[in-house]
mmCIF file of all heavy atoms in Angstrom:
data_model
loop_
_atom_site.group_PDB
_atom_site.id
_atom_site.type_symbol
_atom_site.label_atom_id
_atom_site.label_comp_id
_atom_site.label_asym_id
_atom_site.label_seq_id
_atom_site.Cartn_x
_atom_site.Cartn_y
_atom_site.Cartn_z
ATOM 1 N N PRO A 1012 9.833 6.879 -9.013
ATOM 2 C CA PRO A 1012 10.887 6.766 -10.031
ATOM 3 C C PRO A 1012 12.076 5.922 -9.575
ATOM 4 O O PRO A 1012 12.623 5.134 -10.357
ATOM 5 C CB PRO A 1012 11.301 8.228 -10.272
ATOM 6 C CG PRO A 1012 10.117 9.039 -9.861
ATOM 7 C CD PRO A 1012 9.536 8.289 -8.701
ATOM 8 N N ARG A 1013 12.469 6.064 -8.300
ATOM 9 C CA ARG A 1013 13.599 5.282 -7.792
ATOM 10 C C ARG A 1013 13.259 3.799 -7.740
ATOM 11 O O ARG A 1013 14.071 2.935 -8.100
ATOM 12 C CB ARG A 1013 14.009 5.784 -6.407
ATOM 13 C CG ARG A 1013 14.644 7.172 -6.419
ATOM 14 C CD ARG A 1013 15.047 7.604 -5.010
ATOM 15 N NE ARG A 1013 15.823 8.832 -5.037
ATOM 16 C CZ ARG A 1013 15.294 10.043 -5.058
ATOM 17 N NH1 ARG A 1013 13.973 10.191 -5.049
ATOM 18 N NH2 ARG A 1013 16.065 11.119 -5.080
ATOM 19 N N LEU A 1014 12.042 3.491 -7.271
ATOM 20 C CA LEU A 1014 11.627 2.094 -7.200
ATOM 21 C C LEU A 1014 11.491 1.495 -8.600
ATOM 22 O O LEU A 1014 11.843 0.334 -8.829
ATOM 23 C CB LEU A 1014 10.294 1.986 -6.444
ATOM 24 C CG LEU A 1014 10.339 2.341 -4.953
ATOM 25 C CD1 LEU A 1014 8.930 2.362 -4.368
ATOM 26 C CD2 LEU A 1014 11.213 1.352 -4.194
ATOM 27 N N MET A 1015 10.990 2.286 -9.539
ATOM 28 C CA MET A 1015 10.851 1.806 -10.911
ATOM 29 C C MET A 1015 12.220 1.574 -11.530
ATOM 30 O O MET A 1015 12.416 0.611 -12.284
ATOM 31 C CB MET A 1015 10.046 2.825 -11.722
ATOM 32 C CG MET A 1015 9.590 2.335 -13.084
ATOM 33 S SD MET A 1015 8.497 3.539 -13.871
ATOM 34 C CE MET A 1015 8.243 2.742 -15.474
ATOM 35 N N ARG A 1016 13.158 2.451 -11.244
ATOM 36 C CA ARG A 1016 14.522 2.299 -11.758
ATOM 37 C C ARG A 1016 15.169 1.035 -11.191
ATOM 38 O O ARG A 1016 15.874 0.306 -11.903
ATOM 39 C CB ARG A 1016 15.332 3.541 -11.362
ATOM 40 C CG ARG A 1016 16.818 3.515 -11.635
ATOM 41 C CD ARG A 1016 17.138 3.758 -13.089
ATOM 42 N NE ARG A 1016 17.021 2.567 -13.918
ATOM 43 C CZ ARG A 1016 17.062 2.554 -15.233
ATOM 44 N NH1 ARG A 1016 17.196 3.677 -15.902
ATOM 45 N NH2 ARG A 1016 16.956 1.433 -15.887
ATOM 46 N N ARG A 1017 14.922 0.751 -9.913
ATOM 47 C CA ARG A 1017 15.596 -0.377 -9.253
ATOM 48 C C ARG A 1017 14.937 -1.723 -9.556
ATOM 49 O O ARG A 1017 15.632 -2.709 -9.822
ATOM 50 C CB ARG A 1017 15.613 -0.147 -7.736
ATOM 51 C CG ARG A 1017 16.309 -1.256 -6.969
ATOM 52 C CD ARG A 1017 16.529 -0.895 -5.525
ATOM 53 N NE ARG A 1017 17.222 -1.957 -4.812
ATOM 54 C CZ ARG A 1017 17.557 -1.906 -3.522
ATOM 55 N NH1 ARG A 1017 17.301 -0.810 -2.810
ATOM 56 N NH2 ARG A 1017 18.168 -2.921 -2.946
ATOM 57 N N PHE A 1018 13.576 -1.761 -9.502
ATOM 58 C CA PHE A 1018 12.886 -3.047 -9.612
ATOM 59 C C PHE A 1018 12.188 -3.259 -10.953
ATOM 60 O O PHE A 1018 11.758 -4.374 -11.254
ATOM 61 C CB PHE A 1018 11.851 -3.179 -8.484
ATOM 62 C CG PHE A 1018 12.446 -3.127 -7.114
ATOM 63 C CD1 PHE A 1018 12.289 -2.004 -6.309
ATOM 64 C CD2 PHE A 1018 13.181 -4.198 -6.624
ATOM 65 C CE1 PHE A 1018 12.835 -1.955 -5.034
ATOM 66 C CE2 PHE A 1018 13.734 -4.160 -5.351
ATOM 67 C CZ PHE A 1018 13.571 -3.033 -4.557
ATOM 68 N N GLY A 1019 12.049 -2.191 -11.739
ATOM 69 C CA GLY A 1019 11.318 -2.300 -12.993
ATOM 70 C C GLY A 1019 9.844 -1.983 -12.802
ATOM 71 O O GLY A 1019 9.282 -2.190 -11.710
ATOM 72 N N GLY A 1020 9.221 -1.478 -13.852
ATOM 73 C CA GLY A 1020 7.832 -1.066 -13.752
ATOM 74 C C GLY A 1020 6.887 -2.209 -13.471
ATOM 75 O O GLY A 1020 5.939 -2.073 -12.686
ATOM 76 N N ARG A 1021 7.127 -3.383 -14.090
ATOM 77 C CA ARG A 1021 6.212 -4.499 -13.900
ATOM 78 C C ARG A 1021 6.205 -4.980 -12.452
ATOM 79 O O ARG A 1021 5.142 -5.141 -11.844
ATOM 80 C CB ARG A 1021 6.607 -5.662 -14.824
ATOM 81 C CG ARG A 1021 5.616 -6.829 -14.794
ATOM 82 C CD ARG A 1021 6.148 -8.005 -15.583
ATOM 83 N NE ARG A 1021 7.348 -8.557 -14.951
ATOM 84 C CZ ARG A 1021 8.122 -9.488 -15.506
ATOM 85 N NH1 ARG A 1021 7.851 -9.938 -16.722
ATOM 86 N NH2 ARG A 1021 9.183 -9.951 -14.880
ATOM 87 N N ASP A 1022 7.390 -5.196 -11.866
ATOM 88 C CA ASP A 1022 7.450 -5.696 -10.494
ATOM 89 C C ASP A 1022 6.904 -4.671 -9.510
ATOM 90 O O ASP A 1022 6.227 -5.031 -8.533
ATOM 91 C CB ASP A 1022 8.891 -6.064 -10.124
ATOM 92 C CG ASP A 1022 9.376 -7.307 -10.854
ATOM 93 O OD1 ASP A 1022 8.534 -8.004 -11.465
ATOM 94 O OD2 ASP A 1022 10.593 -7.578 -10.831
ATOM 95 N N LEU A 1023 7.176 -3.388 -9.750
ATOM 96 C CA LEU A 1023 6.643 -2.347 -8.871
ATOM 97 C C LEU A 1023 5.125 -2.314 -8.944
ATOM 98 O O LEU A 1023 4.444 -2.178 -7.914
ATOM 99 C CB LEU A 1023 7.221 -0.983 -9.256
ATOM 100 C CG LEU A 1023 6.685 0.221 -8.476
ATOM 101 C CD1 LEU A 1023 6.910 0.057 -6.981
ATOM 102 C CD2 LEU A 1023 7.327 1.512 -8.975
ATOM 103 N N THR A 1024 4.569 -2.463 -10.142
ATOM 104 C CA THR A 1024 3.117 -2.456 -10.293
ATOM 105 C C THR A 1024 2.484 -3.654 -9.600
ATOM 106 O O THR A 1024 1.466 -3.529 -8.904
ATOM 107 C CB THR A 1024 2.726 -2.434 -11.784
ATOM 108 O OG1 THR A 1024 3.293 -1.271 -12.389
ATOM 109 C CG2 THR A 1024 1.218 -2.396 -11.950
ATOM 110 N N VAL A 1025 3.057 -4.845 -9.792
ATOM 111 C CA VAL A 1025 2.523 -6.048 -9.141
ATOM 112 C C VAL A 1025 2.549 -5.881 -7.624
ATOM 113 O O VAL A 1025 1.557 -6.161 -6.934
ATOM 114 C CB VAL A 1025 3.330 -7.287 -9.574
ATOM 115 C CG1 VAL A 1025 2.945 -8.504 -8.716
ATOM 116 C CG2 VAL A 1025 3.095 -7.604 -11.044
ATOM 117 N N ALA A 1026 3.667 -5.397 -7.089
ATOM 118 C CA ALA A 1026 3.767 -5.195 -5.638
ATOM 119 C C ALA A 1026 2.754 -4.163 -5.156
ATOM 120 O O ALA A 1026 2.138 -4.326 -4.086
ATOM 121 C CB ALA A 1026 5.185 -4.745 -5.280
ATOM 122 N N SER A 1027 2.535 -3.105 -5.930
ATOM 123 C CA SER A 1027 1.594 -2.045 -5.535
ATOM 124 C C SER A 1027 0.155 -2.546 -5.577
ATOM 125 O O SER A 1027 -0.664 -2.199 -4.710
ATOM 126 C CB SER A 1027 1.765 -0.833 -6.450
ATOM 127 O OG SER A 1027 3.065 -0.292 -6.327
ATOM 128 N N LEU A 1028 -0.181 -3.353 -6.581
ATOM 129 C CA LEU A 1028 -1.532 -3.918 -6.657
ATOM 130 C C LEU A 1028 -1.810 -4.823 -5.462
ATOM 131 O O LEU A 1028 -2.873 -4.743 -4.834
ATOM 132 C CB LEU A 1028 -1.699 -4.696 -7.964
ATOM 133 C CG LEU A 1028 -1.781 -3.869 -9.252
ATOM 134 C CD1 LEU A 1028 -1.645 -4.769 -10.475
ATOM 135 C CD2 LEU A 1028 -3.083 -3.081 -9.316
ATOM 136 N N ILE A 1029 -0.851 -5.672 -5.124
ATOM 137 C CA ILE A 1029 -1.029 -6.570 -3.981
ATOM 138 C C ILE A 1029 -1.107 -5.774 -2.681
ATOM 139 O O ILE A 1029 -1.916 -6.065 -1.791
ATOM 140 C CB ILE A 1029 0.117 -7.599 -3.932
ATOM 141 C CG1 ILE A 1029 0.030 -8.530 -5.146
ATOM 142 C CG2 ILE A 1029 0.076 -8.401 -2.641
ATOM 143 C CD1 ILE A 1029 1.221 -9.454 -5.304
ATOM 144 N N THR A 1030 -0.276 -4.737 -2.559
ATOM 145 C CA THR A 1030 -0.292 -3.895 -1.354
ATOM 146 C C THR A 1030 -1.626 -3.199 -1.173
ATOM 147 O O THR A 1030 -2.174 -3.159 -0.054
ATOM 148 C CB THR A 1030 0.837 -2.847 -1.425
ATOM 149 O OG1 THR A 1030 2.092 -3.510 -1.480
ATOM 150 C CG2 THR A 1030 0.801 -1.926 -0.212
ATOM 151 N N SER A 1031 -2.182 -2.645 -2.254
ATOM 152 C CA SER A 1031 -3.466 -1.942 -2.136
ATOM 153 C C SER A 1031 -4.580 -2.904 -1.731
ATOM 154 O O SER A 1031 -5.454 -2.551 -0.920
ATOM 155 C CB SER A 1031 -3.808 -1.235 -3.450
ATOM 156 O OG SER A 1031 -3.947 -2.162 -4.509
ATOM 157 N N ALA A 1032 -4.558 -4.140 -2.254
ATOM 158 C CA ALA A 1032 -5.562 -5.137 -1.862
ATOM 159 C C ALA A 1032 -5.405 -5.509 -0.395
ATOM 160 O O ALA A 1032 -6.392 -5.587 0.359
ATOM 161 C CB ALA A 1032 -5.438 -6.377 -2.745
ATOM 162 N N ALA A 1033 -4.155 -5.724 0.048
ATOM 163 C CA ALA A 1033 -3.906 -6.107 1.439
ATOM 164 C C ALA A 1033 -4.308 -4.993 2.405
ATOM 165 O O ALA A 1033 -4.876 -5.263 3.481
ATOM 166 C CB ALA A 1033 -2.426 -6.458 1.614
ATOM 167 N N CYS A 1034 -4.046 -3.748 2.040
ATOM 168 C CA CYS A 1034 -4.415 -2.617 2.908
ATOM 169 C C CYS A 1034 -5.926 -2.527 3.082
ATOM 170 O O CYS A 1034 -6.427 -2.269 4.190
ATOM 171 C CB CYS A 1034 -3.875 -1.312 2.334
ATOM 172 S SG CYS A 1034 -2.110 -1.079 2.540
ATOM 173 N N LEU A 1035 -6.667 -2.735 1.991
ATOM 174 C CA LEU A 1035 -8.129 -2.653 2.093
ATOM 175 C C LEU A 1035 -8.668 -3.771 2.983
ATOM 176 O O LEU A 1035 -9.583 -3.550 3.791
ATOM 177 C CB LEU A 1035 -8.759 -2.716 0.707
ATOM 178 C CG LEU A 1035 -10.265 -2.407 0.646
ATOM 179 C CD1 LEU A 1035 -10.566 -1.037 1.243
ATOM 180 C CD2 LEU A 1035 -10.774 -2.479 -0.784
ATOM 181 N N LEU A 1036 -8.118 -4.966 2.879
ATOM 182 C CA LEU A 1036 -8.539 -6.065 3.752
ATOM 183 C C LEU A 1036 -8.185 -5.758 5.209
ATOM 184 O O LEU A 1036 -8.968 -6.060 6.123
ATOM 185 C CB LEU A 1036 -7.884 -7.367 3.313
ATOM 186 C CG LEU A 1036 -8.347 -7.937 1.963
ATOM 187 C CD1 LEU A 1036 -7.525 -9.166 1.590
ATOM 188 C CD2 LEU A 1036 -9.839 -8.274 1.998
ATOM 189 N N ALA A 1037 -7.026 -5.160 5.436
ATOM 190 C CA ALA A 1037 -6.622 -4.799 6.799
ATOM 191 C C ALA A 1037 -7.545 -3.732 7.376
ATOM 192 O O ALA A 1037 -7.890 -3.763 8.568
ATOM 193 C CB ALA A 1037 -5.177 -4.317 6.804
ATOM 194 N N ILE A 1038 -7.965 -2.792 6.543
ATOM 195 C CA ILE A 1038 -8.915 -1.766 6.991
ATOM 196 C C ILE A 1038 -10.232 -2.418 7.391
ATOM 197 O O ILE A 1038 -10.845 -2.074 8.417
ATOM 198 C CB ILE A 1038 -9.137 -0.713 5.885
ATOM 199 C CG1 ILE A 1038 -7.880 0.158 5.747
ATOM 200 C CG2 ILE A 1038 -10.351 0.167 6.187
ATOM 201 C CD1 ILE A 1038 -7.901 1.083 4.542
ATOM 202 N N GLY A 1039 -10.696 -3.384 6.585
ATOM 203 C CA GLY A 1039 -11.934 -4.078 6.914
ATOM 204 C C GLY A 1039 -11.852 -4.862 8.210
ATOM 205 O O GLY A 1039 -12.869 -5.060 8.893
ATOM 206 N N ALA A 1040 -10.647 -5.294 8.568
ATOM 207 C CA ALA A 1040 -10.472 -6.104 9.780
ATOM 208 C C ALA A 1040 -10.256 -5.267 11.030
ATOM 209 O O ALA A 1040 -10.314 -5.792 12.147
ATOM 210 C CB ALA A 1040 -9.297 -7.068 9.594
ATOM 211 N N THR A 1041 -9.996 -3.965 10.877
ATOM 212 C CA THR A 1041 -9.709 -3.101 12.033
ATOM 213 C C THR A 1041 -10.669 -1.920 12.038
ATOM 214 O O THR A 1041 -10.554 -1.027 11.210
ATOM 215 C CB THR A 1041 -8.263 -2.565 11.964
ATOM 216 O OG1 THR A 1041 -8.071 -1.908 10.710
ATOM 217 C CG2 THR A 1041 -7.269 -3.704 12.086
ATOM 218 N N GLN A 1042 -11.589 -1.913 12.925
ATOM 219 C CA GLN A 1042 -12.577 -0.830 13.011
ATOM 220 C C GLN A 1042 -12.051 0.275 13.935
ATOM 221 O O GLN A 1042 -12.580 0.514 15.021
ATOM 222 C CB GLN A 1042 -13.904 -1.384 13.536
ATOM 223 C CG GLN A 1042 -14.521 -2.441 12.639
ATOM 224 C CD GLN A 1042 -14.989 -1.858 11.306
ATOM 225 O OE1 GLN A 1042 -15.714 -0.879 11.257
ATOM 226 N NE2 GLN A 1042 -14.568 -2.474 10.211
ATOM 227 N N ASP A 1043 -11.005 0.928 13.498
ATOM 228 C CA ASP A 1043 -10.375 1.978 14.307
ATOM 229 C C ASP A 1043 -9.917 3.100 13.372
ATOM 230 O O ASP A 1043 -9.067 2.888 12.504
ATOM 231 C CB ASP A 1043 -9.182 1.401 15.076
ATOM 232 C CG ASP A 1043 -8.590 2.394 16.075
ATOM 233 O OD1 ASP A 1043 -8.315 3.547 15.678
ATOM 234 O OD2 ASP A 1043 -8.391 2.019 17.238
ATOM 235 N N ALA A 1044 -10.466 4.304 13.583
ATOM 236 C CA ALA A 1044 -10.164 5.436 12.702
ATOM 237 C C ALA A 1044 -8.685 5.777 12.689
ATOM 238 O O ALA A 1044 -8.132 6.153 11.646
ATOM 239 C CB ALA A 1044 -10.980 6.665 13.124
ATOM 240 N N TRP A 1045 -8.006 5.647 13.837
ATOM 241 C CA TRP A 1045 -6.598 6.009 13.913
ATOM 242 C C TRP A 1045 -5.712 4.973 13.225
ATOM 243 O O TRP A 1045 -4.706 5.327 12.588
ATOM 244 C CB TRP A 1045 -6.178 6.191 15.368
ATOM 245 C CG TRP A 1045 -6.862 7.356 16.018
ATOM 246 C CD1 TRP A 1045 -7.920 7.317 16.875
ATOM 247 C CD2 TRP A 1045 -6.562 8.743 15.824
ATOM 248 N NE1 TRP A 1045 -8.297 8.581 17.243
ATOM 249 C CE2 TRP A 1045 -7.476 9.489 16.615
ATOM 250 C CE3 TRP A 1045 -5.607 9.433 15.076
ATOM 251 C CZ2 TRP A 1045 -7.463 10.877 16.659
ATOM 252 C CZ3 TRP A 1045 -5.595 10.824 15.135
ATOM 253 C CH2 TRP A 1045 -6.513 11.528 15.918
ATOM 254 N N LEU A 1046 -6.077 3.689 13.335
ATOM 255 C CA LEU A 1046 -5.320 2.657 12.637
ATOM 256 C C LEU A 1046 -5.512 2.733 11.130
ATOM 257 O O LEU A 1046 -4.634 2.336 10.360
ATOM 258 C CB LEU A 1046 -5.738 1.268 13.139
ATOM 259 C CG LEU A 1046 -5.263 0.872 14.535
ATOM 260 C CD1 LEU A 1046 -5.833 -0.486 14.922
ATOM 261 C CD2 LEU A 1046 -3.739 0.833 14.600
ATOM 262 N N TRP A 1047 -6.673 3.243 10.710
ATOM 263 C CA TRP A 1047 -6.941 3.350 9.281
ATOM 264 C C TRP A 1047 -6.015 4.366 8.600
ATOM 265 O O TRP A 1047 -5.732 4.243 7.410
ATOM 266 C CB TRP A 1047 -8.389 3.767 9.048
ATOM 267 C CG TRP A 1047 -9.367 2.644 9.231
ATOM 268 C CD1 TRP A 1047 -9.099 1.395 9.713
ATOM 269 C CD2 TRP A 1047 -10.763 2.683 8.942
ATOM 270 N NE1 TRP A 1047 -10.246 0.650 9.748
ATOM 271 C CE2 TRP A 1047 -11.283 1.409 9.274
ATOM 272 C CE3 TRP A 1047 -11.618 3.648 8.449
ATOM 273 C CZ2 TRP A 1047 -12.633 1.094 9.122
ATOM 274 C CZ3 TRP A 1047 -12.956 3.343 8.286
ATOM 275 C CH2 TRP A 1047 -13.459 2.077 8.624
ATOM 276 N N MET A 1048 -5.574 5.364 9.338
ATOM 277 C CA MET A 1048 -4.806 6.440 8.705
ATOM 278 C C MET A 1048 -3.492 5.947 8.087
ATOM 279 O O MET A 1048 -3.210 6.244 6.922
ATOM 280 C CB MET A 1048 -4.594 7.583 9.699
ATOM 281 C CG MET A 1048 -5.908 8.313 10.005
ATOM 282 S SD MET A 1048 -5.800 9.491 11.368
ATOM 283 C CE MET A 1048 -4.769 10.750 10.639
ATOM 284 N N PRO A 1049 -2.651 5.185 8.810
ATOM 285 C CA PRO A 1049 -1.436 4.689 8.142
ATOM 286 C C PRO A 1049 -1.744 3.707 7.017
ATOM 287 O O PRO A 1049 -1.011 3.645 6.021
ATOM 288 C CB PRO A 1049 -0.644 4.010 9.274
ATOM 289 C CG PRO A 1049 -1.635 3.757 10.362
ATOM 290 C CD PRO A 1049 -2.642 4.850 10.251
ATOM 291 N N LEU A 1050 -2.832 2.941 7.149
ATOM 292 C CA LEU A 1050 -3.211 2.012 6.083
ATOM 293 C C LEU A 1050 -3.662 2.766 4.833
ATOM 294 O O LEU A 1050 -3.324 2.379 3.707
ATOM 295 C CB LEU A 1050 -4.326 1.083 6.572
ATOM 296 C CG LEU A 1050 -3.915 0.047 7.622
ATOM 297 C CD1 LEU A 1050 -5.143 -0.641 8.205
ATOM 298 C CD2 LEU A 1050 -2.964 -0.986 7.020
ATOM 299 N N ARG A 1051 -4.413 3.847 5.020
ATOM 300 C CA ARG A 1051 -4.844 4.652 3.864
ATOM 301 C C ARG A 1051 -3.658 5.409 3.266
ATOM 302 O O ARG A 1051 -3.602 5.633 2.056
ATOM 303 C CB ARG A 1051 -5.958 5.612 4.284
ATOM 304 C CG ARG A 1051 -7.228 4.898 4.701
ATOM 305 C CD ARG A 1051 -8.364 5.836 5.029
ATOM 306 N NE ARG A 1051 -9.034 6.305 3.807
ATOM 307 C CZ ARG A 1051 -10.155 7.035 3.820
ATOM 308 N NH1 ARG A 1051 -10.709 7.386 4.975
ATOM 309 N NH2 ARG A 1051 -10.709 7.408 2.689
ATOM 310 N N LEU A 1052 -2.723 5.817 4.117
ATOM 311 C CA LEU A 1052 -1.498 6.453 3.606
ATOM 312 C C LEU A 1052 -0.731 5.483 2.709
ATOM 313 O O LEU A 1052 -0.299 5.842 1.601
ATOM 314 C CB LEU A 1052 -0.622 6.903 4.776
ATOM 315 C CG LEU A 1052 0.709 7.571 4.388
ATOM 316 C CD1 LEU A 1052 0.465 8.968 3.830
ATOM 317 C CD2 LEU A 1052 1.641 7.639 5.596
ATOM 318 N N LEU A 1053 -0.578 4.236 3.179
ATOM 319 C CA LEU A 1053 0.132 3.224 2.393
ATOM 320 C C LEU A 1053 -0.632 2.906 1.112
ATOM 321 O O LEU A 1053 -0.028 2.702 0.046
ATOM 322 C CB LEU A 1053 0.323 1.960 3.234
ATOM 323 C CG LEU A 1053 1.136 0.819 2.588
ATOM 324 C CD1 LEU A 1053 2.518 1.308 2.167
ATOM 325 C CD2 LEU A 1053 1.254 -0.362 3.557
ATOM 326 N N THR A 1054 -1.968 2.893 1.189
ATOM 327 C CA THR A 1054 -2.784 2.688 -0.013
ATOM 328 C C THR A 1054 -2.529 3.800 -1.021
ATOM 329 O O THR A 1054 -2.391 3.548 -2.225
ATOM 330 C CB THR A 1054 -4.281 2.644 0.341
ATOM 331 O OG1 THR A 1054 -4.517 1.599 1.289
ATOM 332 C CG2 THR A 1054 -5.132 2.381 -0.898
ATOM 333 N N GLY A 1055 -2.462 5.038 -0.539
ATOM 334 C CA GLY A 1055 -2.187 6.171 -1.423
ATOM 335 C C GLY A 1055 -0.825 6.059 -2.087
ATOM 336 O O GLY A 1055 -0.675 6.373 -3.277
#
């Protein structure tokens, strides 16, 4: 809600879509269960 109030729903959605794509690519590039956890947290 705070991010939507500050940046608007459209910009927050665009940033979130790009972030989720980047996190999945980063997971594919790092074969480490412990490194995946912060990336999956950010994806969530």
Side-chain angles (χ1 to χ4, degrees):
R1013 291 181 172 85
L1014 293 173
M1015 192 174 176
R1016 172 77 278 170
R1017 181 170 181 180
F1018 299 107
R1021 186 187 66 189
D1022 290 348
L1023 176 58
T1024 301
V1025 170
S1027 298
L1028 289 168
I1029 294 172
T1030 298
S1031 62
C1034 285
L1035 190 56
L1036 292 175
I1038 288 171
T1041 55
Q1042 298 292 308
D1043 187 310
W1045 294 102
L1046 287 176
W1047 283 8
M1048 291 170 69
L1050 290 170
R1051 295 184 81 173
L1052 179 73
L1053 184 56
T1054 302

